[in-house]
Amino acid sequence: MSSVSPIQIPSRLPLLLTHEGVLLPGSTMRTSVDSARNLQLVRSRLLKGTSLQSTILGVIPNTPDPASDAQDLPPLHRIGTAALAVQVVGSNWPKPHYTLLITGLCRFQIIQVVKEKPYPVAEVEQLDHLEEFPDTCKTREELGELSEQFYKYAVQILDAVSLEERFKMTIPLLVRQIEGLKLLQKTRKHKQDDEKRVIAIRPMRRITHIPGALADEGEDEDNDDIVMLEKKIRTSSMPEQAHKVCVKEIKRLKKMPQSMPEYALTRNYLELMVELPWNKSTTDRLDIRAARVLLDNDHYAMEKLKKRVLEYLAVRQLKNNLKGPILCFVGPPGVGKTSVGRSVAKTLGREFHRIALGGVCDQSDIRGHRRTYVGSMPGRIINGLKTVGVNNPVFLLDEVDKLGKSLQGDPAAALLEVLDPEQNHNFTDHYLNVAFDLSQVLFIATANTTATIPPALLDRMEIIQVPGYTQEEKIEIAHRHLIPKQLEQHGLTPQQIQIPQVTTLDIITRYTREAGVRSLDRKLGAICRAVAVKVAEGQHREAKLDRPDVAEGEGCKEHILEDGKSSAVSDTTDFALPPEMPILIDFHALKDILGPPMYEMEVSERLSQPGVAIGLAWTPLGGEIMFVEASRMDGEGQLTLTGQLGNVMKESAHLAISWLRSNAKKYHLTNASGSFDLLENTDIHLHFPAGAVTKDGPSAGVTIATCLASLFSGRLVRSDVAMTGEITLRGLVLPVGGIKDKVLAAHRAGLKRVIIPQRNEKDLEEIPANVRQDLSFITASCLDEVLNAAFDGGFTVKSRPGLLNSKL
């Protein structure tokens, strides 16, 4: 048997003073080095030394004394541990320091300190492998007997090869193990009996009202709540899978101490599961005639949208288990998309819940948080179902086109499962972690534009366009809904104020320019506030006139004559007779209340010189007219475009100038020097006013071509015409979108002729009949037809020699 040589350490060791713990032989410890002595030791011995012995240190436990001088060596513990430095890690922030990973080798005893600076060094004596111990004979005999006994028992176990011998060795061990398990089981049983005894005693404490038992009463209330919660779970009509989860969680809740944080989380989860409307629903009102009357009373116009709602009601009446459709109302602000959703719920007799999605950039708002996170909660869908208390409400997902995206996920992607009729019957919220059926929910989304909605989400919704209102529709809406609402909000009656339809038309045309009616509603509110001031002042004056100390007609400053004019009578008092009722709002009253008109008809003034044309544009706020201006000057043939234009619109401008250059001889278009090369020594500047607004799209192609044709021909474009359409390099006119909104914008601006692509003729069926009567529509398939309709008398073509001039 070979002997292992003992560990030998150097007779002199550098001392590392540490206060972070005591290092024992065979253990490993990390210690921080930040004192001056220890820093010098690490730099001199560990960082510069190359031999193995240079990495052996003497580790001495040291308790720092605040009263001692940092320059003096503190009293040292007599016994230390020799250690091997395994790793050194250094840093300069916030101050220079090192971190050592050291492993204990053996113990030593300090004989004497031979050096104190820059770090202490001592002569040491190794203790773990000394040949002589104190009381050596007796100690060696005891250790020898114990080691021999341990060795003997180990070799018995090792030599047990046969099955009989293994049984003899195993049975005593098993008996000992079984006795230990029985004792543990007996201890647990006594503990459970004690707990049952305490639970049996608690009702008695509550009845007898023992002083000092308030804490127990709180626990009793919690236990009663748990019993009620368990009863609700048993009597609930939740699906089998959800019921199993609740039973499992209630069992865990009973075993938890109330002081555990998970106790409150589990209890909140179970309360939510019980409150959710798993099978609770409302009965739809399926009277189509009553629904039609209700929709007509709440909303004027919007025929396509109301038709789709009535279709759903009709099919729902024929088939009870119809899945809820996913509708998306797309239109400019203020046209009533949100209020229509509320009216749909009222028509069906369902609960209504609105979820605002504008600016949402976390998918957890839709799907909820997992319960492993602190402060977790269900998503807005499940929370909305809990709020309404039924599983077939009308959910309005407002501003779905304004969803964001961030590091927390994409909420639009989370909506894919919610808005898919083939998947939402098994919707799983991260907080619930069980499936919930959303197939009976009627989802209605609203948006201003479909451009920012992801294609996958857009594909799951049925798009219903909600265009802007005509002037006639706005007048009807104002007198049916807006004016009565404002009178009620301001405490006025029709006997106190009258707003004729002519005045309403002036507000619409001169003070608002919008697709919806929000600005119109605000202007009507301003008028009602001004009238409310007059009415309140008049009541105050009446109260003063009723005073007995004031004679009738005496002391009046002014009075109202029959023609509505006032005349000064006396300056002795500061009140006058009340105004005549009702107060009639005419154009002069509008100017006094709302100020000068904000929008004047400037079309004829803007088109008083060549190089100007009117286009039609679509924006998320509705249709608008757009002026295009062009000018030319001497230069090097450059084309300048200004007005915050997008790439598509810039390409349309280059297409238009290229087409005109190729047809310059045909239309006898020349530059300032008379050359058919329009860009020879000539620069062209195209500008689209309202430069602060970004513009893009292909529909301005025909407008740019007409504007440039006016510039080079010197002829004026008709001041009552507007146009829209995309062009090709060969002069073809291609169809564009948003025709209804653009036509309504032209009608609001007072224009009379609208040029549209021939392939958009089918879209004219959506234009209201009164608007079609006021406008003249020209459908064009090529630029020749556009130019012919845009100029008075047509656009003349230069004839060949011997032929007469002809008109296109």
Side-chain angles (χ1 to χ4, degrees):
M1 184 175 178
S2 61
S3 61
V4 179
S5 60
I7 300 175
Q8 297 294 332
I9 63 174
S11 60
R12 287 191 177 189
L13 286 178
L15 300 183
L16 179 70
L17 307 184
T18 175
H19 57 83
E20 296 179 351
V22 178
L23 180 67
L24 298 177
S27 63
T28 302
M29 180 178 73
R30 288 189 182 272
T31 181
S32 178
V33 176
D34 51 9
S35 66
R37 292 188 181 90
N38 291 343
L39 287 173
Q40 287 293 339
L41 187 151
V42 172
R43 291 166 181 165
S44 301
R45 297 280 300 199
L46 301 182
L47 299 182
K48 295 182 179 180
T50 57
S51 63
L52 178 62
Q53 293 203 1
S54 65
T55 61
I56 299 179
L57 310 173
V59 180
I60 301 294
N62 175 44
T63 303
D65 186 4
S68 63
D69 189 0
Q71 301 295 332
D72 298 334
L73 184 66
L76 301 178
H77 195 72
R78 188 174 59 87
I79 304 297
T81 305
L84 180 66
V86 180
Q87 185 183 46
V88 181
V89 179
S91 176
N92 289 324
W93 188 89
K95 61 180 182 178
H97 68 280
Y98 296 96
T99 301
L100 303 184
L101 179 63
I102 53 179
T103 300
L105 301 177
C106 62
R107 291 174 296 174
F108 65 86
Q109 180 178 355
I110 298 178
I111 298 176
Q112 65 174 351
V113 177
V114 297
K115 186 174 70 171
E116 293 186 3
K117 295 183 180 180
Y119 54 86
V121 177
E123 288 187 4
V124 299
E125 180 183 5
Q126 187 170 347
L127 296 179
D128 285 337
H129 294 285
L130 293 177
E131 296 185 4
E132 295 294 333
F133 287 88
D135 238 353
T136 56
C137 295
K138 183 180 177 180
T139 306
R140 186 167 62 246
E141 292 176 359
E142 292 177 355
L143 291 177
E145 291 177 0
L146 291 174
S147 62
E148 289 179 2
Q149 186 179 1
F150 176 79
Y151 178 78
K152 178 181 177 182
Y153 284 132
V155 175
Q156 282 175 2
I157 296 173
L158 182 63
D159 293 343
V161 178
S162 65
L163 184 60
E164 182 179 359
E165 292 178 355
R166 278 182 283 173
F167 273 125
K168 290 181 181 179
M169 296 293 296
T170 306
I171 288 175
L173 296 176
L174 290 176
V175 171
R176 177 183 293 180
Q177 185 69 17
I178 291 172
E179 291 298 329
L181 292 175
K182 286 183 179 179
L183 181 61
L184 181 61
Q185 185 176 6
K186 186 177 181 180
T187 304
R188 288 181 177 175
K189 185 177 180 180
H190 283 303
K191 184 178 180 181
Q192 291 178 357
D193 293 340
D194 293 340
E195 290 179 353
K196 290 180 180 179
R197 192 177 299 110
V198 172
I199 293 174
I201 292 173
R202 280 175 182 170
M204 297 177 62
R205 289 182 178 177
R206 187 166 61 247
I207 292 173
T208 56
H209 298 285
I210 298 176
L214 296 177
D216 292 336
E217 289 184 5
E219 294 179 358
D220 294 339
E221 293 178 0
D222 290 336
N223 291 330
D224 293 341
D225 292 342
I226 294 177
V227 172
M228 293 297 297
L229 190 59
E230 187 176 11
K231 183 179 178 180
K232 290 180 180 179
I233 293 174
R234 288 197 304 266
T235 58
S236 65
S237 56
M238 63 181 63
E240 182 180 358
Q241 181 186 2
H243 188 268
K244 288 182 179 179
V245 173
C246 289
V247 171
K248 180 180 177 182
E249 292 294 330
I250 197 71
K251 289 181 180 178
R252 292 181 62 245
L253 187 66
K254 290 180 179 178
K255 299 178 182 178
M256 289 183 193
Q258 297 180 9
S259 59
M260 286 185 61
E262 194 175 355
Y263 180 89
L265 297 177
T266 305
R267 182 170 175 175
N268 293 337
Y269 172 76
L270 291 174
E271 289 177 350
L272 174 65
M273 293 287 285
V274 171
E275 293 177 1
L276 283 179
W278 299 94
N279 285 322
K280 185 180 178 181
S281 60
T282 56
T283 303
D284 289 346
R285 290 198 299 260
L286 302 177
D287 189 349
I288 297 182
R289 293 184 178 179
R292 189 191 303 273
V293 172
L294 183 61
L295 288 174
D296 288 339
N297 291 337
D298 289 347
H299 297 276
Y300 185 77
M302 309 178 77
E303 299 300 329
K304 182 186 293 187
L305 190 149
K306 292 189 287 188
K307 178 183 176 183
R308 180 62 182 90
V309 175
L310 294 176
E311 289 174 352
Y312 170 75
L313 283 176
V315 179
R316 186 76 172 79
Q317 185 175 354
L318 300 178
K319 188 177 182 180
N320 291 331
N321 59 350
L322 177 66
K323 295 181 180 179
I326 314 296
L327 306 179
C328 182
F329 300 157
V330 179
V335 297
K337 301 184 294 297
T338 303
S339 60
V340 166
R342 187 175 286 104
S343 296
V344 169
K346 182 180 177 182
T347 302
L348 294 174
R350 294 190 180 188
E351 298 292 333
F352 177 79
H353 185 72
R354 174 179 173 267
I355 300 177
L357 297 180
V360 173
C361 57
D362 188 351
Q363 68 162 351
S364 298
D365 283 351
I366 308 298
R367 281 206 181 112
H369 304 83
R370 299 192 184 275
R371 284 191 292 143
T372 54
Y373 297 108
V374 177
S376 60
M377 62 181 64
R380 297 194 181 189
I381 304 297
I382 296 298
N383 196 35
L385 290 170
K386 173 190 171 184
T387 302
V388 297
V390 293
N391 64 356
N392 63 339
V394 175
F395 268 13
L396 183 75
L397 306 178
D398 212 4
E399 308 293 350
V400 74
D401 59 326
K402 297 174 180 61
L403 286 170
K405 184 187 297 185
S406 68
L407 297 176
Q408 284 73 34
D410 186 1
L415 280 176
L416 295 179
E417 182 183 3
V418 177
L419 300 182
D420 192 343
E422 302 300 326
Q423 299 180 22
N424 62 8
H425 67 279
N426 200 24
F427 171 71
T428 302
D429 185 275
H430 287 164
Y431 185 83
L432 294 186
N433 206 23
V434 293
F436 195 96
D437 186 7
L438 299 179
S439 60
Q440 298 303 316
V441 179
L442 175 57
F443 288 101
I444 298 178
T446 67
N448 297 131
T449 176
T450 59
T452 55
I453 302 178
L457 182 60
L458 192 65
D459 182 63
R460 284 164 167 77
M461 299 186 293
E462 179 182 348
I463 305 299
I464 298 179
Q465 295 289 342
V466 185
Y469 297 115
T470 64
Q471 293 180 0
E472 290 76 11
E473 291 172 345
K474 289 183 179 180
I475 293 174
E476 289 294 329
I477 292 172
H479 286 270
R480 289 189 183 189
H481 303 287
L482 301 183
I483 293 178
K485 182 189 73 172
Q486 292 292 343
L487 293 182
E488 181 181 359
Q489 291 181 354
H490 292 83
L492 299 175
T493 64
Q495 288 74 30
Q496 295 172 324
I497 179 175
Q498 286 188 359
I499 304 178
Q501 290 192 356
V502 177
T503 303
T504 307
L505 180 61
D506 284 339
I507 300 174
I508 294 171
T509 56
R510 297 189 176 189
Y511 291 92
T512 65
R513 182 171 289 180
E514 59 175 349
V517 291
R518 284 182 181 167
S519 294
L520 174 61
D521 191 29
R522 286 192 287 267
K523 300 299 182 183
L524 293 173
I527 293 173
C528 290
R529 289 193 298 272
V531 173
V533 173
K534 295 293 184 183
V535 173
E537 289 178 348
Q539 293 176 350
H540 181 66
R541 290 166 182 165
E542 286 180 349
K544 285 191 174 182
L545 288 177
D546 290 340
R547 282 166 38 191
D549 56 339
V550 179
E552 181 178 358
E554 182 181 350
C556 293
K557 184 177 182 180
E558 62 178 8
H559 61 86
I560 307 298
L561 301 180
E562 293 182 357
D563 59 356
K565 298 181 180 179
S566 60
S567 60
V569 177
S570 174
D571 292 334
T572 59
T573 58
D574 59 348
F575 56 89
L577 291 174
E580 294 182 357
M581 297 294 174
I583 298 178
L584 182 66
I585 304 300
D586 55 7
F587 177 73
H588 298 288
L590 281 183
K591 193 172 183 180
D592 292 338
I593 297 173
L594 302 180
M598 299 175 61
Y599 304 100
E600 293 289 350
M601 295 304 173
E602 55 180 357
V603 175
S604 58
E605 299 176 2
R606 298 284 290 270
L607 272 72
S608 59
Q609 55 184 341
V612 184
I614 303 175
L616 297 174
W618 180 91
T619 69
L621 304 180
E624 292 184 357
I625 64 171
M626 177 178 60
F627 291 92
V628 180
E629 301 175 350
S631 63
R632 60 182 178 179
M633 67 287 297
D634 295 337
E636 300 177 353
Q638 294 182 352
L639 176 62
T640 303
L641 302 172
T642 56
Q644 289 253 24
L645 308 183
N647 292 331
V648 178
M649 189 170 286
K650 292 179 180 178
E651 293 174 356
S652 298
H654 287 284
L655 283 174
I657 190 64
S658 297
W659 184 84
L660 286 174
R661 292 178 68 188
S662 62
N663 292 272
K665 292 183 179 180
K666 177 180 178 181
Y667 292 104
H668 200 259
L669 302 176
T670 60
N671 58 13
S673 59
S675 173
F676 289 114
D677 187 356
L678 303 181
L679 295 181
E680 183 180 358
N681 299 326
T682 302
D683 287 347
I684 300 176
H685 188 167
L686 273 173
H687 179 63
F688 294 76
V693 180
T694 303
K695 312 171 189 67
D696 201 5
S699 61
V702 294
T703 311
I704 298 173
T706 304
C707 175
L708 293 174
S710 171
L711 176 67
F712 288 109
S713 65
R715 299 182 57 185
L716 298 178
V717 180
R718 290 182 52 157
S719 61
D720 61 348
V721 65
M723 61 200 73
T724 182
E726 181 181 359
I727 62 173
T728 68
L729 193 59
R730 299 297 180 183
L732 299 179
V733 179
L734 302 182
V736 292
I739 292 297
K740 182 176 182 181
D741 289 323
K742 294 176 180 179
V743 170
L744 294 180
H747 186 257
R748 287 195 299 267
L751 303 177
K752 298 301 181 182
R753 175 178 290 189
V754 177
I755 303 174
I756 62 173
Q758 189 173 20
R759 290 167 60 181
N760 283 118
E761 187 175 5
K762 62 182 184 303
D763 297 323
L764 296 179
E765 297 179 0
E766 301 180 0
I767 309 299
N770 60 324
V771 177
R772 291 202 303 266
Q773 292 176 358
D774 294 341
L775 295 177
S776 172
F777 295 96
I778 307 296
T779 60
S781 60
C782 60
L783 277 175
D784 294 334
E785 299 174 356
V786 172
L787 296 178
N788 191 41
F791 293 90
D792 283 326
F795 204 64
T796 305
V797 178
K798 178 66 177 180
S799 64
R800 297 178 181 176
L803 296 179
L804 296 176
N805 291 344
S806 60
K807 294 181 181 179
L808 289 176

